[in-house]
Amino acid sequence: MTENEKVGGGQAGSEDATAAVASSEEKQQRLDQDVQIESVGPCRKHVRVRVPRKDIDRFHEEVTRKLVETAEVPGFRKGRVPAKLVAKRFRREIADEVRQKVLLQSLEQLTEDHDLDPINEPDLDVEALEIPEEGDFEYEFDVEV
């Protein structure tokens, strides 16, 4: 076995391990959402989705943790800002990113789990949606299938 073959074999094994870890993380990240789909016409569906608070909190913690690493706040070294201060100071930015992440994952999971094949974009105003401070996040939309 040549030196190149030895190196290549080790990399393939590590790539397989990395793929297995990524796959297990993806399974852990699934949302425990409640979905109701109603027919409102021959090719239209009305979809109502409820994402539980625990999943929203998980995304909030993840976004806050990443922001703590990069936030520049006077009086603190980069990466040393308390998470509560970051969450309070960057509340709007965190809320926007959490909303986008929750919606993206929710819609991806919705299409996988419920076999929806939309013809066009769902009738959903993302900017008007707000994730509540307390309780579950609920949204609904109509889509042509």
Side-chain angles (χ1 to χ4, degrees):
M1 187 179 273
T2 67
E3 219 29 64
N4 288 341
E5 290 173 344
K6 290 180 186 174
V7 171
Q11 289 176 345
S14 100
E15 288 174 5
D16 292 340
T18 304
V21 169
S23 173
S24 69
E25 286 178 4
E26 186 175 299
K27 288 178 184 173
Q28 293 173 354
Q29 293 293 332
R30 289 189 59 81
L31 298 174
D32 186 27
Q33 61 186 4
D34 178 35
V35 179
Q36 298 173 352
I37 301 174
E38 302 170 5
S39 291
V40 292
C43 295
R44 272 185 94 65
K45 302 282 185 188
H46 181 78
V47 181
R48 182 174 293 130
V49 181
R50 185 184 56 79
V51 180
R53 185 82 228 169
K54 65 179 176 129
D55 289 328
I56 295 167
D57 290 342
R58 185 183 73 221
F59 279 108
H60 191 275
E61 290 171 12
E62 177 184 312
V63 169
T64 303
R65 190 175 334 111
K66 286 181 182 178
L67 192 56
V68 163
E69 295 171 4
T70 60
E72 294 184 21
V73 177
F76 294 94
R77 289 180 288 159
K78 192 173 186 178
R80 300 291 185 180
V81 183
K84 285 187 177 186
L85 180 63
V86 168
K88 188 174 185 179
R89 186 166 230 204
F90 298 101
R91 186 176 54 84
R92 175 60 61 198
E93 292 84 356
I94 291 172
D96 288 344
E97 190 169 341
V98 167
R99 180 186 65 214
Q100 289 187 358
K101 284 181 178 263
V102 167
L103 276 174
L104 180 66
Q105 179 148 353
S106 176
L107 291 171
E108 285 177 0
Q109 190 172 318
L110 179 69
T111 57
E112 289 173 8
D113 294 350
H114 296 281
D115 197 29
L116 284 178
D117 189 20
I119 295 173
N120 56 10
E121 295 276 326
D123 182 20
L124 182 65
D125 184 9
V126 177
E127 297 302 319
L129 295 175
E130 291 291 326
I131 294 184
E133 294 290 325
E134 298 289 325
D136 299 338
F137 171 54
E138 296 183 18
Y139 66 97
E140 53 189 88
F141 60 92
D142 291 328
V143 66
E144 288 186 41
V145 294

